[in-house]
Amino acid sequence: MPSSYISPISMDALSSLCSELDKNNYIRKSDYERYHVKRGLRNSDGTGVMAGLTRICSVEGYYILDGERIPKEGKLSYRGYDINDIVNSCIKDDRFGYEEVVWLLLFGELPTVQQLYSLREVIAECRALPDEFIEDMIMKHASKDIMNKMARSVMSLYSFDEDPDDISIPNVLRQSLQLIAQMPTIMNSAYQVKRRAFYNKTMFLHPIRKDQSTAEYILNQLRVDKKFTREEAKLLDICLLLHADHGGGNNSTFSTRVLTSSGTDTYSAITAGFGSLKGPRHGGANIRVAQQMNEIMEAVPDSTDPAQVKDYLVKILNKEAGDKSGLIYGMGHAVYTLSDPRAVILKENARKLAYEKGFEKEFKTLENIERLTPQVFAEVKGDEKEMCANVDLYSGLVYKVLGIPEDLYTPLFATARVAGWCAHRLEELISGGRIMRPAYKSVSHSKKFVDINDRTEK
């Protein structure tokens, strides 16, 4: 295991410093209301503040009628094409769809057969990392967190680029295609190094395959025997294309666009997306769902019994169980109300394989959480707003069914989402034109300067 750095700052010193922070950084909620501040860039009814325009992706979960927010079935569209149509077409024709979605997000239209073939050729050729990159940038500094290691690797690629700061569209497109292709290789390499350094397990790095789809390549790299079924690869492919984008307003994509608006390089902008997606309020939520499901199955005698699960959900909501946050992970969404189309698609396509591989109990447990959480909120909180399962509720189980380790739940999300981040970066460069600079009002008061010898602790 790598040696740890021991901070020279003592806990007593930190405690004292934190008390100073608390005194001078707290802002009353009433001040936000007084100055009409949209906290979290949200309006008072929970809708997002309009901060930009995009042609890449549409996320719909409600409509406004006479100033009132009316719930409706969720709809996700890539470049105007309904995600259900994209998924159903891939299933009908028994083809992999992630690369098709990459083309669609970047260029705005569905690819022809020849265009798709060309893109797959480019991605296959770009999967390899620079010489000695894995050894020098990944193996020498193992990380407990794969997301942090992936972010660091993206930043390190800046040093291997002959023209990293050129933000012309041809150069950024080149960088984008390379990053999309390299992410599975970076993700697997970071995980293998973690296995060796922190789990004391064998590390294996398979040769890069150029004849596989992205989903096949990921499974080929992750499995020691390199064996998987087409059904498994197709299910992972659906996960990847569902995670590829989710509009310009989600936290990680917005972060990428904010950095892009400053004129910074591609590697810095994409690294911002990784930092955001790692957070448990964003992409990191899928791990919390998996942990929550395991806890319920351990604490409840029969998690397929709705009554028993409901009792435990009440405890979670009352902060008596779970991580004591009062949150039921995998439920609710900022936009979707009646349904999250990604969750619906994952649930439909995961059921058969989950039952075949012996995960029927886990699947039924999640179904109970999905069905009962709105009831529990209504009874415990008196909150009867529409609430649906989000994509995180079922994505973790899909990964578990596919034998993918929990360490990679969020990194897989990020690997898919790089395509969306790159598409939004390109759109921002082409159409944005202004650095993002929202206003923050200062609520501090003017103070008379005090000479250092006259200062006393307060």
Side-chain angles (χ1 to χ4, degrees), residues 138-347:
I138 300 178
M139 292 179 64
K140 287 185 178 180
H141 302 282
S143 173
K144 295 178 182 179
D145 190 278
I146 306 302
M147 287 291 284
N148 276 8
K149 176 54 69 174
M150 292 174 76
R152 181 176 182 270
S153 296
V154 170
M155 282 299 294
S156 297
L157 285 170
Y158 176 99
S159 302
F160 293 83
D161 192 325
E162 292 182 356
D163 205 355
D165 290 306
D166 176 8
I167 59 171
S168 67
I169 298 306
N171 195 55
V172 173
L173 178 58
R174 171 189 64 81
Q175 294 169 331
S176 297
L177 291 169
Q178 287 179 310
L179 285 173
I180 292 167
Q182 291 168 334
M183 291 325 302
T185 308
I186 292 173
M187 176 186 71
N188 178 65
S189 301
Y191 173 65
Q192 296 301 332
V193 172
K194 180 178 180 178
R195 276 173 53 91
R196 184 192 65 175
F198 297 98
Y199 299 154
N200 197 30
K201 293 183 178 181
T202 302
M203 178 179 76
F204 51 90
L205 296 171
H206 299 314
I208 290 175
R209 290 279 300 270
K210 296 183 179 181
D211 60 331
Q212 295 177 322
S213 69
T214 300
E216 291 173 306
Y217 176 60
I218 289 172
L219 291 178
N220 178 84
Q221 291 291 297
L222 287 178
R223 297 190 175 180
V224 64
D225 61 2
K226 298 182 283 187
K227 294 180 179 179
F228 54 87
T229 66
R230 184 171 179 83
E231 186 180 18
E232 289 176 318
K234 291 294 295 299
L235 182 57
L236 179 57
D237 179 69
I238 290 174
C239 287
L240 294 176
L241 69 85
L242 289 176
H243 282 314
D245 195 45
H246 208 237
N250 72 79
N251 196 274
S252 58
T253 302
F254 187 64
S255 298
T256 302
R257 294 193 75 134
V258 169
L259 267 73
T260 296
S261 75
S262 75
T264 194
D265 65 277
T266 296
Y267 303 99
S268 296
I270 299 303
T271 298
F274 275 95
S276 167
L277 196 70
K278 179 191 174 187
R281 294 181 181 179
H282 195 7
N286 54 22
I287 296 176
R288 297 294 180 94
V289 171
Q291 294 169 343
Q292 173 183 266
M293 181 187 71
N294 293 336
E295 180 189 325
I296 291 174
M297 291 180 66
E298 291 175 5
V300 174
D302 181 9
S303 60
T304 64
D305 177 12
Q308 295 182 40
V309 172
K310 183 177 180 180
D311 289 342
Y312 200 78
L313 291 176
V314 170
K315 292 180 180 179
I316 292 177
L317 206 56
N318 287 328
K319 302 182 180 181
E320 298 169 357
D323 60 6
K324 307 298 175 66
S325 67
L327 299 175
I328 298 177
Y329 295 103
M331 293 298 300
H333 192 269
V335 178
Y336 298 126
T337 52
L338 298 182
S339 63
D340 178 340
R342 302 168 302 170
V344 173
I345 291 170
L346 275 187
K347 182 179 179 180

Side-chain angles (χ1 to χ4, degrees), residues 1-60:
M1 181 179 294
S3 58
S4 299
Y5 171 74
I6 306 299
S7 174
I9 306 174
S10 69
M11 292 305 298
D12 288 341
L14 279 175
S15 178
S16 176
L17 291 171
C18 285
S19 66
E20 293 296 315
L21 282 173
D22 291 341
K23 285 191 299 184
N24 297 303
N25 283 283
Y26 177 75
I27 298 175
R28 296 170 298 185
K29 289 184 178 180
S30 59
D31 283 341
Y32 287 99
E33 297 171 1
R34 176 184 177 188
Y35 296 110
H36 307 289
V37 175
K38 312 284 186 166
R39 297 184 71 197
L41 292 180
R42 301 281 183 87
N43 297 309
S44 58
D45 61 359
T47 59
V49 172
M50 194 67 67
L53 301 174
T54 181
R55 299 179 66 179
I56 297 170
C57 181
S58 173
V59 181
E60 304 171 35

